[in-house]
Amino acid sequence: MSKWTEYTCLHTGERCYYMRHASGLPIYVWPKEGYVSSYAVFATDYGAIDTAYIDPETGKTVELPAGIAHYLEHKLFENEECDAFERYAKTGANANAYTSFDHTAYLFSCTQNLTESLEILLDFVQDPYFTEQTVEKERGIIGQEIRMCEDSPSRTVFCNLLTALYHRHPVRIDIAGTVDSIAEITPELLYGCYESFYDLQNMVLSVSGNVTCEQVEEVADRLLKPSRGNVPPRAPVVEPHTAAQARIEVRMPVAEPLFYLGYKVPLDGMKSESPQALAAAEVLQEILGGRANPLYADLMRRGLINASFGLEYFDGPGYGVWILGGESKDPEAVCEAFRAEIVRLKREGVTSEEFEAARNAVYGRLVSQFDNVESCGDLVLEAHFAERSPFAALDAVASLDVEAVYERIERDFAEDASALSLVLPLEQKG
Amino acid sequence: MKTENRLLGAGVHSLLIPDERFKTSQLTVALLMPLNKETVEQYALLPRLLIRGCAAYPDFTALHRRLNQLYGAAVTGDVARVGETQVLVLTAECTSDRYAMSGEQLTAACAELLSEMLFRPALADGVFRAEDVETERRCLAEEVRAEINEKRWYARRQAERLLCPDEAYGVGRYGDAAVIESLTPEVVTAAWQRVLREASIQLILQSDRALPEVEETLCRGFVAVSGRKPVVCHTDTVTRLPEFRRQVERMEVGQSKLVLGFRAGCAEPETGVNATRLMNALLGGTATSLLFKNVREKLSLCYYCSSVYDRMKGVLLVQSGVDEQNAERAETEILAQLEAIRRGDFTDEELEAARRSIVQSFEAVNDSQSARSAWYVSQAALEQPTTPEKTREEIEAVTREEVIAAAKRVRYECAYLLAQKGGTADE
């Protein structure tokens, strides 16, 4: 066990283990005693915001078409003989994959045959196979997926908000790209991306649930190929602190207007924020947008919001956005009330009772996540990519000081860094 | 793990599930009422009203401050449609006492709130307060109208309506927005009293320790209801449409949705249910199902193509996202896959893959409090509730011939297509 480093959660006694495998891959194992199911996720620190790579032979920067990380995710499921789903069919694991702004993940959960499923996972992700024909076939399927997303008002209101807020940061571009942008994707480009970003040093494996360290290590020893030593730095983006545009609206078949009011937080570089800063954001989210704030009951009483209302802090490498949103007959009135609430908070602050209650709520919800095998695996993955230890988020909430919340209130809500995204109902004809 | 469902009297069943693995207590009260067109909206609104406040915490903001103090405890209230039973579900969740930073008794406080909400809601002059009713009915009506926002879900609901035009199932779990908006405090208060009198009750109390005291408090509340007499809920599983129905609806959408509606010819508590479940998994329930492999992967006709079987009602739906020009071919191919199962034209490997997939989903139920709670909520509508373990064993025993027989019972009854305005398919 000496290769493994143990992390213990001071508050709950949960334990998880870490090792850097000889191949270069960081591996986390979080055994959950008494659980029948297991979850494994193998991910790379590469997502939709990585829109260029440096060709190792020419040293030149290659610009990539929007949506390529997602396209690559789809294509990796297939190798020369069959696709990964067919292989998982033999083990019964429930497998999937997703592409986010900053990472791409391949995952499965199961209650039987963990070793065999882990072999499949490690094998297919390390074995790309793209031809003109297979890449072409996928274009139709992904084209349909893009059109399905374009029909979703909740996704549209979100993507439009990011486009309005950001001038340059690639978070402003839709993860799946467009039908036009994916038309440019070729097998050569896919191999280029794979070689650059799918290096074991740039990846992580996280396994949780009914599993032991030895079990994972044994499979890793057999299947992992040595790292090529590529850890591509994330291209820095110089993003102005102001919003690109203050307002964006479209019309779609919806019952009531959907709105997202966003505030872009000024961040430098492409690092994630500290656990303390993120803990402060979570507690502030509860104070400002939670149901214990009289603002919520007031907006409800005035008929301006419904249960879809919420405030969220959305963040990743080089981006952080406060998003207030939901459905409303009168989004402008909701925004006005929210702005007034920020002014009030800046002026009056929060009572220690309010702060403690909000902190308790965030703490309790984090502890609850440990009950779920999938959540455990995902928490570790996210912590690793953000360069935090697995239990840092809970520690940061438990020891949070109200001053950190005030810092955020003062810094995060500049009006010239805000934008309103709207999806309005279609205009009635006649 | 023991999960003994005990009848405490007054039509109250209780499952005490102590489980040390979990750091959360989850306390569920399920109240079962017949789903019908006359009362669906009233019962849909009721749980939302109940969780807004109680006599002890009539003020919404004060209640939520209290819940935050209790480490983000939450009480949720909604209805589920289980066949033609409308289940009102109230759930209180909180962190286990042993993880409270200052030793607070969170579970007891949470159980107390839940009991208060159920039996001593915030009333004015003996009825729900007008302002609460107005807010909640507006929110629920808006939610019902927003069904149209997400087209995949909307198309599925439209297909259900097409398949069950005269059955309670077709009204859905919330009913009609305009009716919701017309509900008065008096009507909803009478519905609350009726539910306390007439609902069969299922308690599902999960925590790191057994909670007999919570069980007793809640049970006492029901025993104290005068004239309590639980009604029996029944689901009609035999109705069939007199003739095939087809509907095309046009809207501003980029991707069409095709939903095919079938009667499965088998529903709870019949013995063929598990064979139908396995047949459904083989047809379109997994990522290696016949529909996924052939209609999506091989023919690239759609982005998704999957099937769902509602064993309580005995209906089966195949849902897909397609280009309108491919809709007809997709329909033909979907039916061809069902026909292939009827002919026994599938490999043992395909059947075992489907079986492994659903067996593992049953095995995983007990690893999640929410999944376990949902399992027993739907079991509560049956006379003979069963466990995930037992169901798993039964699925293991289903034969190839039983799967073929299950496919032969399925009858194709309707097709619904949501398509782009200005398209070409027959209206």
Side-chain angles (χ1 to χ4, degrees):
Chain A
M1 285 296 285
S2 58
K3 289 176 240 170
W4 293 88
T5 306
E6 181 181 289
Y7 288 96
T8 306
C9 175
L10 297 174
H11 307 279
T12 64
E14 289 279 340
R15 286 193 176 89
C16 87
Y17 301 88
Y18 164 79
M19 78 175 285
R20 186 172 280 277
H21 188 260
S23 61
L25 180 70
I27 302 178
Y28 292 84
V29 175
W30 187 336
K32 301 283 294 175
E33 205 179 321
Y35 281 73
V36 179
S37 49
S38 314
Y39 171 74
V41 54
F42 190 17
T44 175
D45 193 9
Y46 161 61
I49 61 167
D50 300 293
T51 53
Y53 71 89
I54 294 161
D55 187 319
E57 283 176 22
T58 64
K60 285 195 177 143
T61 301
V62 180
E63 296 290 335
L64 297 165
I68 192 165
H70 174 248
Y71 209 104
L72 180 51
E73 172 227 304
H74 271 239
K75 285 325 300 170
L76 214 47
F77 262 83
E78 222 173 299
N79 67 17
E80 204 164 349
E81 293 88 41
C82 65
D83 79 14
F85 282 130
E86 285 172 49
R87 298 173 69 188
Y88 281 124
K90 295 187 175 62
T91 68
N94 182 7
N96 212 336
Y98 67 88
T99 306
S100 73
F101 283 108
D102 59 349
H103 67 268
T104 311
Y106 303 83
L107 52 96
F108 69 82
S109 44
C110 67
T111 57
Q112 299 173 12
N113 310 318
L114 172 64
T115 301
E116 292 76 5
S117 293
L118 205 49
E119 285 169 2
I120 296 168
L121 177 67
L122 297 190
D123 182 56
F124 85 82
V125 175
Q126 292 185 94
D127 186 21
Y129 175 74
F130 318 124
T131 66
E132 291 288 348
Q133 196 195 1
T134 63
V135 171
E136 197 50 50
K137 198 202 92 183
E138 203 69 18
R139 235 183 285 279
I141 290 177
I142 296 181
Q144 280 286 351
E145 185 175 348
I146 290 171
R147 295 175 73 172
M148 187 168 81
C149 293
E150 286 169 353
D151 281 343
S152 165
S154 54
R155 181 162 168 141
T156 302
V157 74
F158 173 70
C159 292
N160 283 356
L161 175 71
L162 295 177
T163 307
L165 284 172
Y166 284 90
H167 296 259
R168 299 198 190 99
H169 195 293
V171 75
R172 69 193 302 281
I173 304 162
D174 193 302
I175 289 172
T178 63
V179 171
D180 288 339
S181 75
I182 65 165
E184 297 167 34
I185 291 171
T186 61
E188 293 71 35
L189 276 178
L190 290 174
Y191 276 116
C193 285
Y194 185 86
E195 296 295 327
S196 296
F197 298 110
Y198 281 68
D199 187 287
L200 293 184
Q201 289 195 46
N202 198 42
M203 298 175 76
V204 65
L205 172 67
S206 166
V207 191
S208 52
N210 183 10
V211 59
T212 64
C213 293
E214 292 77 9
Q215 198 177 0
V216 177
E217 192 175 346
E218 188 273 327
V219 180
D221 285 346
R222 272 191 289 123
L223 277 110
L224 293 178
K225 300 167 185 172
S227 156
R228 298 175 297 273
N230 278 347
V231 185
R234 213 151 233 152
V237 181
V238 182
E239 175 67 33
H241 287 179
T242 54
Q245 64 190 92
R247 188 184 170 94
I248 184 165
E249 63 175 64
V250 292
R251 290 191 181 267
M252 294 177 78
V254 293
E256 297 272 357
L258 269 67
F259 75 98
Y260 269 171
L261 172 67
Y263 287 87
K264 178 167 75 172
V265 171
L267 298 173
D268 293 316
M270 295 299 271
K271 290 258 183 208
S272 293
E273 292 174 79
S274 70
Q276 288 71 25
L278 290 172
E282 290 216 46
V283 172
L284 178 55
Q285 175 183 318
E286 186 56 46
I287 291 171
L288 250 178
R291 292 175 182 204
N293 185 328
L295 174 72
Y296 184 91
D298 183 52
L299 292 171
M300 270 286 186
R301 191 178 43 76
R302 292 164 59 195
L304 290 173
I305 58 168
N306 59 29
S308 64
F309 176 84
L311 175 70
E312 182 188 349
Y313 187 61
F314 167 74
D315 70 292
Y319 61 91
V321 183
W322 285 98
I323 302 175
L324 179 85
E327 294 162 27
S328 178
K329 287 181 180 63
D330 189 352
E332 311 276 358
V334 180
C335 296
E336 196 182 312
F338 183 71
R339 290 189 189 104
E341 176 60 11
I342 291 167
V343 171
R344 189 197 66 80
L345 261 186
K346 282 184 182 173
R347 190 180 61 231
E348 296 174 14
V350 291
T351 64
S352 61
E353 199 187 341
E354 282 169 335
F355 169 72
E356 299 269 333
R359 196 186 58 173
N360 279 4
V362 171
Y363 177 90
R365 281 180 214 134
L366 282 175
V367 169
S368 296
Q369 287 184 20
F370 294 173
D371 280 349
N372 182 293
V373 168
E374 283 87 1
S375 301
C376 292
D378 289 337
L379 281 174
V380 167
L381 174 145
E382 281 161 27
H384 175 80
F385 284 146
E387 299 175 26
R388 301 192 290 262
S389 71
F391 301 113
L394 191 66
D395 291 342
V397 171
S399 61
L400 188 71
D401 197 280
V402 71
E403 289 306 319
V405 174
Y406 285 135
E407 273 173 39
R408 292 211 79 121
I409 300 174
E410 289 300 330
R411 186 196 61 175
D412 286 3
F413 298 95
E415 280 308 319
D416 62 356
S418 87
L420 176 62
S421 167
L422 294 167
V423 170
L424 301 172
L426 300 173
E427 277 166 307
Q428 299 295 322
K429 290 187 185 110
Chain B
M1 188 204 51
K2 285 182 302 193
T3 43
E4 191 197 352
N5 198 10
R6 291 173 305 125
L7 178 62
L8 303 179
V12 180
H13 282 86
S14 174
L15 270 165
L16 281 186
I17 310 179
D19 190 334
E20 283 190 4
R21 294 175 301 165
F22 296 118
K23 296 174 172 57
T24 313
S25 297
Q26 195 181 82
L27 318 173
T28 295
V29 182
L31 306 104
L32 287 75
M33 293 296 284
L35 175 69
N36 68 51
K37 286 174 191 171
E38 286 68 43
T39 52
V40 56
E41 291 87 4
Q42 301 168 20
Y43 300 153
L45 188 64
L46 191 51
R48 291 155 188 254
L49 262 178
L50 292 174
I51 62 164
R52 261 191 85 79
C54 52
Y57 287 93
D59 179 69
F60 183 89
T61 304
L63 169 67
H64 282 270
R65 281 214 178 116
R66 174 70 181 143
L67 289 167
N68 273 2
Q69 283 168 355
L70 298 172
Y71 289 78
V75 187
T76 52
D78 204 349
V79 287
R81 181 189 61 182
V82 180
E84 283 165 356
T85 299
Q86 195 178 9
V87 189
L88 293 75
V89 185
L90 267 66
T91 299
E93 265 183 278
C94 66
T95 307
S96 298
D97 298 355
R98 62 187 158 136
Y99 300 108
M101 286 189 276
S102 321
E104 298 94 328
Q105 300 290 308
L106 304 175
T107 305
C110 226
E112 180 65 26
L113 271 178
L114 181 64
S115 172
E116 285 287 311
M117 287 171 173
L118 200 50
F119 301 112
R120 279 170 294 282
L123 306 178
D125 300 326
V127 294
F128 284 104
R129 297 175 298 187
E131 191 185 307
D132 291 346
V133 173
E134 198 183 313
T135 297
E136 290 304 326
R137 73 185 183 196
R138 173 183 61 80
C139 288
L140 182 58
E142 285 175 5
E143 199 174 320
V144 169
R145 293 207 169 96
E147 185 184 83
I148 201 170
N149 292 8
E150 297 304 326
K151 306 299 177 283
R152 183 173 177 163
W153 175 242
Y154 173 76
R156 176 174 168 176
R157 280 289 300 129
Q158 289 292 75
E160 284 177 4
R161 290 185 183 105
L162 194 63
L163 187 63
C164 305
D166 302 314
E167 295 159 81
Y169 191 80
V171 305
R173 58 183 175 145
Y174 295 148
D176 180 75
V179 176
I180 290 166
E181 280 166 339
S182 73
L183 294 172
T184 62
E186 290 72 23
V187 167
V188 191
T189 308
W192 168 60
Q193 289 158 346
R194 198 180 325 122
V195 166
L196 290 186
R197 258 193 336 266
E198 297 183 2
S200 301
I201 309 297
Q202 175 71 62
L203 308 178
I204 304 156
L205 306 176
Q206 305 188 67
S207 186
D208 54 2
R209 62 187 176 84
L211 301 170
E213 68 283 5
V214 174
E215 180 183 72
E216 206 201 313
T217 306
L218 289 168
C219 187
R220 219 182 313 124
F222 286 105
V223 170
V225 175
S226 65
R228 187 167 150 70
K229 190 167 183 242
V231 295
V232 177
C233 300
H234 172 77
T235 299
D236 168 18
T237 59
V238 294
T239 300
R240 300 200 141 173
L241 287 175
E243 57 184 22
F244 188 84
R245 299 182 83 193
R246 185 177 293 276
Q247 185 188 351
V248 178
E249 186 174 2
R250 300 212 167 267
M251 216 181 267
E252 301 284 345
V253 293
Q255 187 190 77
S256 298
K257 310 284 178 209
L258 174 68
V259 186
L260 310 186
F262 303 83
R263 300 281 168 169
C266 180
E268 291 284 4
E270 293 172 274
T271 46
V273 160
N274 285 323
T276 312
R277 268 179 161 152
L278 182 54
M279 186 277 296
N280 175 64
L282 173 66
L283 176 68
T286 73
T288 46
S289 66
L290 300 179
L291 292 180
F292 187 90
K293 266 198 308 198
N294 295 303
V295 187
R296 178 185 134 130
E297 294 289 299
K298 203 182 279 173
L299 300 166
S300 295
L301 282 174
C302 41
Y303 170 60
Y304 66 89
C305 190
S306 62
S307 62
V308 283
Y309 167 49
D310 184 337
R311 70 186 204 287
M312 294 290 178
K313 177 65 182 168
V315 303
L316 191 150
L317 299 174
V318 173
Q319 313 177 80
S320 64
V322 296
D323 256 344
E324 187 177 347
Q325 63 200 36
N326 292 331
E328 208 179 308
R329 241 186 101 203
E331 181 181 351
T332 308
E333 287 300 330
I334 290 163
L335 296 174
Q337 297 307 319
L338 177 62
E339 203 47 53
I341 300 180
R342 288 175 173 150
R343 285 197 311 270
D345 192 6
F346 54 89
T347 65
D348 286 341
E349 208 178 317
E350 286 165 332
L351 179 64
E352 293 316 309
R355 195 195 309 269
R356 268 190 292 271
S357 170
I358 50 174
V359 158
Q360 295 203 37
S361 69
F362 291 129
E363 286 180 336
V365 167
N366 286 325
D367 276 356
S368 152
Q369 286 182 323
S370 300
R372 188 150 62 186
S373 181
W375 175 275
Y376 288 107
V377 164
S378 69
Q379 292 298 322
L382 299 172
E383 241 173 81
Q384 301 278 324
T386 186
T387 61
E389 293 86 343
K390 182 93 193 311
T391 306
R392 188 205 104 110
E393 284 167 21
E394 287 167 10
I395 294 281
E396 296 275 20
V398 171
T399 64
R400 186 183 177 84
E401 287 65 36
E402 287 167 338
V403 168
I404 294 170
K408 286 181 177 165
R409 285 193 293 264
V410 172
R411 186 167 117 164
Y412 184 31
E413 299 218 316
C414 73
Y416 169 83
L417 180 70
L418 177 67
Q420 198 167 22
K421 268 197 172 148
T424 53
D426 293 337
E427 303 287 320

